Amino acid sequence: MAVTRADVVVVGAGAMGSAAAWWLAREGHTVVLLERFEPGHVRGSSHGRSRIFRLAYPDPFYVELARRSLPMWRELEDEAGTALLTTTGGIDHGPAVSVRPVARALEERGALHELLPPEAAAERWPGMRFDEAVLFQPDAGRIDADATVAALQRRAAAHGAIVRFEDPVAAVEPSADGVAVQAESGEYRAPVAVIACGAWASSMLDSLVSLPPLDVTREQVFDFAPRGDAAWPPFIHHRRPYLYGLDTPGRGVKVAEHHTGLSTHPDRRSFDIDPEGRDRVVGYVEEWFPGLDPEPVGAETCLYTTTPTEDFVVDRIGPLVVGAGFSGHGFKFTPLVGRLIADLALSRSGPERFRLP
């Protein structure tokens, strides 16, 4: 079997693995990026036309992470020559007891925001109805997820990374002098390997690394056609369960429940739409969105991989760097997490990037 040597082998070419490969390759390091499936596949968590970018969190830590991510998005756009993040402003609304902590966290980190009564919000965004308290944050927007992952892979390759699709990894074998990655195409050896394979992280790292529990769930989203030309900023509705949505050019307005899917295995998951979940979202649209036709014009499924706290796993253990548990709210941090993973792979002080000043 052929042996290829590199500075870093990255297993998993989703958002975070591709971002890490981009940062590493643009610094001149030899990188191999291995992906089990074809480009743009729909089996994991990184596909789709749109993701929400927002600073609006009740935790100042995540407000700061999003704030630091924003210039990195612009850096990626400039290098790729592609628009990826469109700033539209975004809305949080719901009970004041849930929305006001978001306002306090934004204020603590010096982020612009505006609290509105629901009547004023309905005048500004007539296609929507609003709950008790409404918060507008002008830095929020829409990320083109498919274009982002493709841009990261393309730019990593342009900087010299070997990017291999449809090349499943059978084993990761740490040793005293680094790590050997056994893939279908051959063996890859490096001082360090990055494991960023999403829903497959637990099985890939079984017996190698002690991970927090990673729950893999099958989620679903629905697209609805607007009834007019009203603006559709990204929104988070604070209720049980949370619902979210945003305009997705070419598809309509995406609306979905947050984290209501059943646990599954990534190799045995279904792509079928749950009819009860569909009915709940349709009922929600009928109640809260007078500007949308409540009959879905599209639907798709994806996988969430989350820790019990919905915090991320970003760490180095010996020659292995692990990035996992980003689903549900991690995509907005893609270039920052990629930078952190790259720092850890190069034994730099990456964790400092996650500490508030």
Side-chain angles (χ1 to χ4, degrees):
M1 178 180 289
V3 176
T4 301
R5 297 189 180 274
D7 295 329
V8 185
V9 178
V10 181
V11 179
M16 304 310 179
S18 297
W22 171 58
W23 283 112
L24 289 160
R26 77 197 297 248
E27 288 191 26
H29 302 285
T30 56
V31 180
V32 176
L33 176 61
L34 301 173
E35 169 56 46
R36 177 180 180 180
F37 301 112
E38 72 278 4
H41 72 88
V42 298
R43 298 172 183 85
S45 306
S46 294
H47 65 280
R49 284 291 306 278
S50 61
R51 294 290 191 282
I52 295 175
F53 179 84
R54 61 189 173 99
L55 272 61
Y57 277 86
D59 185 345
F61 176 80
Y62 281 106
V63 176
E64 182 66 12
L65 291 190
R67 189 186 67 80
R68 296 187 191 188
S69 298
L70 185 53
M72 295 185 181
W73 278 106
R74 300 312 182 197
E75 186 175 355
L76 173 59
E77 287 180 317
D78 288 344
E79 181 177 315
T82 303
L84 302 172
L85 168 56
T86 303
T87 300
T88 61
I91 296 166
D92 281 65
H93 71 111
V97 68
S98 183
V99 173
R100 290 194 179 276
V102 177
R104 288 195 292 269
L106 290 166
E107 183 174 3
E108 180 176 326
R109 302 313 306 166
L112 296 174
H113 62 282
E114 179 184 4
L115 287 168
L116 300 167
E119 298 80 12
E123 290 183 9
R124 189 181 300 188
W125 299 285
M128 307 171 67
R129 294 192 177 100
F130 296 92
D131 214 330
E132 176 185 354
V134 184
L135 181 147
F136 176 71
Q137 207 290 312
D139 296 302
R142 177 184 66 246
I143 302 166
D144 187 327
D146 287 338
T148 294
V149 175
L152 289 166
Q153 294 165 351
R154 186 172 65 251
R155 293 311 305 162
H159 289 295
I162 298 171
V163 182
R164 300 192 62 94
F165 294 100
E166 299 181 270
D167 195 3
V169 169
V172 176
E173 301 169 350
S175 65
D177 60 351
V179 61
V181 177
Q182 307 294 341
E184 190 171 278
S185 61
E187 180 177 308
Y188 298 87
R189 289 186 176 269
V192 61
V194 171
I195 311 301
C197 51
W200 290 266
S202 293
S203 56
M204 181 65 65
L205 292 166
D206 184 39
S207 79
L208 298 176
V209 172
S210 179
L211 292 171
L214 292 175
D215 186 25
V216 178
T217 57
R218 184 183 63 84
E219 309 293 335
Q220 54 191 16
V221 300
F222 300 91
D223 301 313
F224 296 87
R227 286 174 163 159
D229 57 0
W232 292 98
F235 74 90
I236 307 291
H237 191 172
H238 295 233
R239 51 182 280 163
R240 293 180 183 272
Y242 276 45
L243 281 100
Y244 68 93
L246 71 163
D247 182 34
T248 304
R251 295 185 63 106
V253 176
K254 179 166 76 175
V255 183
E257 296 177 324
H258 174 65
H259 212 169
T260 59
L262 297 176
S263 296
T264 188
H265 188 283
D267 291 329
R268 298 189 292 273
R269 54 80 63 89
S270 167
F271 289 85
D272 296 336
I273 296 300
D274 168 36
E276 292 183 1
R278 178 190 184 279
D279 290 346
R280 289 195 303 270
V281 174
V282 167
Y284 174 81
V285 169
E286 289 175 334
E287 180 179 0
W288 291 95
F289 289 96
L292 294 180
D293 186 326
E295 180 63 28
V297 294
E300 63 181 353
T301 64
C302 66
L303 296 180
Y304 274 17
T305 305
T306 52
T307 65
T309 62
E310 297 191 34
D311 292 320
F312 311 142
V313 178
V314 183
D315 204 356
R316 178 165 179 169
I317 304 91
L320 299 178
V321 177
V322 180
F326 301 106
S327 306
H329 71 118
F331 202 99
K332 67 181 71 62
F333 306 111
T334 292
L336 176 65
V337 171
R339 176 76 260 182
L340 176 59
I341 290 173
D343 283 349
L344 290 172
L346 299 173
S347 298
R348 296 198 293 233
S349 56
E352 293 294 331
R353 295 178 180 273
F354 272 22
R355 296 175 186 168
L356 301 186

